[in-house]
């Protein structure tokens, strides 16, 4: 841990609180759901959440380890928990949950992660983007330099 003098009592209290939180979250809890529990309200999905689960805790530990305020052990344990189940890249996935959230957490928490891991996440995100933003069907009818009605950018 890098010791730096904190300037105010508020900053010292914030650091103490961060240490307290990360010390209580060194190991992920065991799964508390049935193997066949795939429902939308299942606690299975918390692992892929930045706000409620392992993805967010991995991000916390990763930033603290990179800044010298914590070790790398928890940084490796929490992403394992976040990716223990197939990543959700369905309609509920987004910035706070599922493949996009886990990808963000791993990219920040473990910037030197193995390319194969990030490649699998990139593939899941590519699938998600293709389903949500399909190419316009009528774009071939427009000539070069013509504008879309809903956009101010040129299509060409």
């Amino acid at each position: 841990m890098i010791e730096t003098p904190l300037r105010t009592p508020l900053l010292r209290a914030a650091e103490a609180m961060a240490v307290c939180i990360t010390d209580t979250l060194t190991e992920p809890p065991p799964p508390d759901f049935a193997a066949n529990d795939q429902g939308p309200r299942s606690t299975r999905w918390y692992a892929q959440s930045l706000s409620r689960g392992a993805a967010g805790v991995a991000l916390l530990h990763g930033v603290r380890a990179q800044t010298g305020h914590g070790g790398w052990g928890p940084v490796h344990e929490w992403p394992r928990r976040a990716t223990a189940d197939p990543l959700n890249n369905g309609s509920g996935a987004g910035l706070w949950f599922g493949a996009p959230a886990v990808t963000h957490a791993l990219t920040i928490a473990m910037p030197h992660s193995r390319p194969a891991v990030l490649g699998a996440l990139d593939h899941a995100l590519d699938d998600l983007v293709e389903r949500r933003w399909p190419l316009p069907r009528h774009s071939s009818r427009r000539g070069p330099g013509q504008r879309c009605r809903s956009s101010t950018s040129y299509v060409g």
Side-chain angles (χ1 to χ4, degrees):
M1 180 170 167
I2 296 174
E3 295 293 328
T4 57
L6 296 175
R7 290 171 258 206
T8 68
L10 183 59
L11 290 174
R12 286 192 296 274
E15 174 62 21
M17 180 60 72
V19 169
C20 180
I21 292 169
T22 55
D23 285 352
T24 60
L25 295 171
T26 55
E27 292 181 23
D32 64 346
F33 49 83
N36 62 350
D37 185 4
Q38 300 286 332
R41 301 215 188 286
S42 173
T43 57
R44 152 179 267 121
W45 309 118
Y46 287 0
Q48 298 177 30
S49 170
L50 280 177
S51 64
R52 297 177 123 182
V57 179
L59 185 59
L60 168 73
H61 282 293
V63 170
R64 289 188 53 79
Q66 290 173 46
T67 59
H69 292 93
W72 285 97
V75 181
H76 296 284
E77 292 300 318
W78 284 93
R80 276 192 206 104
R81 179 67 190 96
T83 58
D85 285 313
L87 290 178
N88 184 318
N89 68 346
S91 62
L95 295 176
W96 290 98
F97 170 74
V102 173
T103 301
H104 173 68
L106 293 182
T107 301
I108 301 300
M110 301 172 67
H112 305 292
S113 183
R114 295 185 310 255
V117 172
L118 294 178
L121 291 170
D122 284 343
H123 181 69
L125 290 179
D126 287 344
D127 288 346
L128 176 67
V129 169
E130 286 178 13
R131 281 194 315 276
R132 289 197 182 169
W133 291 285
L135 293 174
R137 292 184 181 165
H138 305 293
S139 63
S140 62
R141 293 182 187 167
R142 288 190 282 273
Q146 290 183 345
R147 290 179 182 244
C148 292
R149 289 184 189 172
S150 62
S151 172
T152 58
S153 62
Y154 284 97
V155 176

